[in-house]
Amino acid sequence: MGDVLAGINSSWEFDTDSVLIRFERGIRTPKLFHVLGERRVPYEALRSAELAPGTRRGTVVLRAEPRPGADPLMEAAAGQLRETSDPYRLVLPAEHEPLAAAWVSELTSVLGPRAQEPADRHLVAAPAAPLQFKAYDGKVSFDGRAVSFRWFWTGASSAKWKAGDQSFPVGELRGVRWRSPEVVGGHLRLVRRGEEEDRERPEADQDPAAVVFGLGYGLVHESLPLAAAVLEAVRAAEPAPVLETAAAPAIRTADPVATVRPAPADIADRIRHLGELHGAGLLTDEEFSAKKAELLAEL
């Protein structure tokens, strides 16, 4: 194809088998686009494309629809993104309509019957690890191999403090549930292998496998890319269950060596937090002593 469509917030460059989407970094550009930077989308990852009049006078909107399961970002978002933050939506000046229409027509002609089927693997790359963000009740980080939750004493529930900081190797996860921070009850929840689909889960603020969002916490441009990266890693581990089972002991054995040891000052700070919880009656003497011993053992 070889054409380029420059629109508001992004530009699309069409190649023979894919489209390269480059996102602008302007003041009015959604911050999610700043994080994404650019994305190459193979045509085989697309389900359809259409052209429609824009809501702003003198514009048209080109929108591509990815196949279910082809893009970990859109799979994690699960339809919760605002229209203006949709990375597959390009707003164009009306004079570009002929070129956009030609691309839609050409793409439609090359899409085969498989375009209407869910993809059997991710075809578009997620943002690369390491990634991290602050939720209301803890700090979330993903290094490509494991998701870690470190609780904040100012926001975490006593149930999470009692459970302690958490680390979930990718091989032990089955999926990710992301609920946008722009709605009530926003959170990120990890789904572990072996869990019942219909099992009743505790509320996110009580679940050690979840973090809760809030005003200024878990923002879309921070939490969604991490959720997509985790989902991509989880899906990549699924095709070879035999290797995954055989490798599990090695992963567990390597974890303590690969994990960066916390600084003594950090351990002391966390012990002080425990002392405050103990003094407030949220931890028993036995729980305080046990957790303190665990932290001291990390030194």
Side-chain angles (χ1 to χ4, degrees), residues 250-267:
I251 293 176
R252 292 167 191 251
T253 301
D255 277 347
V257 177
T259 301
V260 177
R261 288 183 178 274
D266 184 46
I267 293 294

Side-chain angles (χ1 to χ4, degrees), residues 178-288:
W178 180 80
R179 182 172 172 82
S180 174
E182 296 176 347
V183 299
V184 176
H187 63 266
L188 173 70
R189 192 191 299 271
L190 303 177
V191 183
R192 286 169 283 192
R193 295 187 185 277
E195 289 184 354
E196 300 282 345
E197 284 282 355
D198 56 352
R199 184 176 75 89
E200 185 175 350
R201 298 287 297 270
E203 294 294 328
D205 65 334
Q206 301 296 317
D207 187 354
V211 292
V212 297
F213 302 151
L215 186 62
Y217 294 95
L219 301 175
V220 171
H221 69 280
E222 296 175 340
S223 60
L224 181 58
L226 185 144
V230 174
L231 185 59
E232 180 181 64
V234 170
R235 293 286 184 269
E238 288 180 349
V242 175
L243 293 178
E244 178 183 301
T245 301
I251 293 176
R252 292 167 191 251
T253 301
D255 277 347
V257 177
T259 301
V260 177
R261 288 183 178 274
D266 184 46
I267 293 294
D269 185 53
R270 292 164 71 182
I271 290 176
R272 280 194 295 271
H273 291 332
L274 284 175
E276 292 175 6
L277 292 173
H278 180 235
L282 297 176
L283 291 176
T284 65
D285 293 342
E286 292 76 12
E287 290 169 337
F288 171 71

